[in-house]
Amino acid sequence: MRTPMMAGNWKMNCDLDEAAALAQGVVEGVGSVEGVAVVLAPPFTALDRVASVIAGSNVRLSAQNVYWQAKGAYTGEISVGMLKSCGCAYVIVGHSERRGRFGVPEPDMTDELIRVFGDTDAAVNTKARAALAGGLTPIICVGETLAEREAGLTDAIVRDQVVAALEGMTPEQIGAVVLAYEPVWAIGTGETCEADEANRVIGVIRAAIDSVAGAGAAQDITVLYGGSVKPKSVRELVSQPEIDGGLVGGASLEADSFNELVAVTREVRG
Ligand code: PEP
């Protein structure tokens, strides 16, 4: 049995009062929902405040990134222990906005160049393992760029990213992760991957998990789809057998639209 999930990635949005108001709207709308894991990922600065708002509800807290060292001279970084002390249960790792080359985005950058913070596959793996070791559930993102899709490389890219992300984990640890298929070209663009194609690629992800953790291992692992999930597209997406829910950016910034995503997921999959 897999737990469906709807996770809101607020990215670099919301000051403290905005974050508290948004979280309050989610708690009021879906804070007692069961059968779907409802997860909010505010920016680091709002974690503590959002933790206070969601306390006592079924909503869970996630960070958007983490560093693998426990403490020390790592200016600007945040450890697993710090996230736990804010009340986090989850952390997103390997989001496409953090993968790729290091550099400053230009206004006309194409999707393969906006991946600016330099998280390599090895860094994603190290972050995910540190999260697990410290008691956080990593939500590991994988996905191809438009250029990679057009070159016919989608399956190979996604497979390689999954295998690299899970390297060195025990089968028990792999059983505890959440994965998210996030085609880079569909993130923040309003362009959703066709539901049956997202379902197919998530099948590739499950096969990659099985290749690392043993046949059947993937059947118990929650795998989300992310990329312009909206109230109008969510039903078709979560009706697909391989898609266990969504990792959502834009539509998570309004409580009403996020709550609708949760409610539809609950209706279809809960
Ligand atoms: C995301 O932030 O992971 C995401 C998928 O964003 P959006 O829903 O805006 O495409």
Side-chain angles (χ1 to χ4, degrees):
M1 272 297 280
R2 305 196 290 261
T3 308
M5 177 182 290
M6 195 52 64
N9 174 17
W10 296 358
K11 311 195 187 193
M12 196 174 74
N13 293 292
C14 296
D15 65 20
L16 281 179
D17 289 343
E18 291 165 342
L22 180 50
Q24 185 64 39
V26 173
V27 168
E28 284 167 10
V30 295
S32 52
V33 158
E34 291 176 358
V36 177
V38 180
V39 178
L40 299 180
F44 288 135
T45 47
L47 286 172
D48 184 46
R49 182 78 171 268
V50 170
S52 306
V53 175
I54 65 177
S57 78
N58 287 348
V59 180
R60 295 290 172 261
L61 192 63
S62 176
Q64 299 175 18
N65 187 28
V66 69
Y67 196 58
W68 53 82
Q69 297 286 0
K71 59 159 79 171
Y74 306 102
T75 302
E77 296 297 330
I78 305 283
S79 71
V80 172
M82 291 169 179
L83 297 181
K84 293 268 293 180
S85 77
C86 287
C88 286
Y90 297 87
V91 60
I92 299 169
V93 297
H95 193 283
S96 65
E97 289 156 15
R98 299 213 60 89
R99 286 180 181 261
R101 69 174 211 164
F102 188 82
V104 178
E106 303 288 342
D108 62 349
M109 271 188 164
T110 53
D111 61 0
E112 59 269 39
L113 295 179
I114 60 173
R115 306 196 282 178
V116 290
F117 294 107
D119 278 6
T120 61
D121 281 339
V124 172
N125 171 255
T126 309
K127 290 180 178 191
R129 285 197 292 161
L132 286 164
L136 289 178
T137 298
I139 301 173
I140 302 170
C141 303
V142 299
E144 81 288 357
T145 65
L146 185 58
E148 288 161 349
R149 172 163 283 267
E150 287 175 348
L153 295 173
T154 298
D155 294 10
I157 293 286
V158 164
R159 194 180 306 119
D160 287 353
Q161 288 179 345
V162 171
V163 170
L166 303 181
E167 193 181 313
M169 291 183 192
T170 64
E172 290 69 31
Q173 287 178 316
I174 292 173
V177 306
V178 172
L179 277 130
Y181 170 51
E182 294 219 310
V184 179
W185 49 272
I187 297 176
T189 59
E191 201 168 324
T192 313
C193 183
E194 293 294 331
D196 56 353
E197 172 61 4
N199 188 65
R200 187 194 70 77
V201 179
I202 291 177
V204 172
I205 288 173
R206 293 197 192 281
I209 295 168
D210 282 356
S211 76
V212 176
Q219 284 318 303
D220 296 329
I221 295 179
T222 297
V223 186
L224 310 176
Y225 166 78
S228 299
V229 176
K230 306 289 179 203
K232 67 176 177 342
S233 59
V234 68
R235 183 175 297 275
E236 195 185 356
L237 287 161
V238 298
S239 297
Q240 299 289 325
E242 304 290 3
I243 303 178
D244 298 323
L247 178 56
V248 185
S252 72
L253 293 174
E254 298 276 347
D256 284 352
S257 61
F258 184 71
N259 293 347
E260 194 175 338
L261 301 181
V262 174
V264 172
T265 305
R266 170 82 182 82
E267 188 190 320
V268 176
R269 298 295 292 267

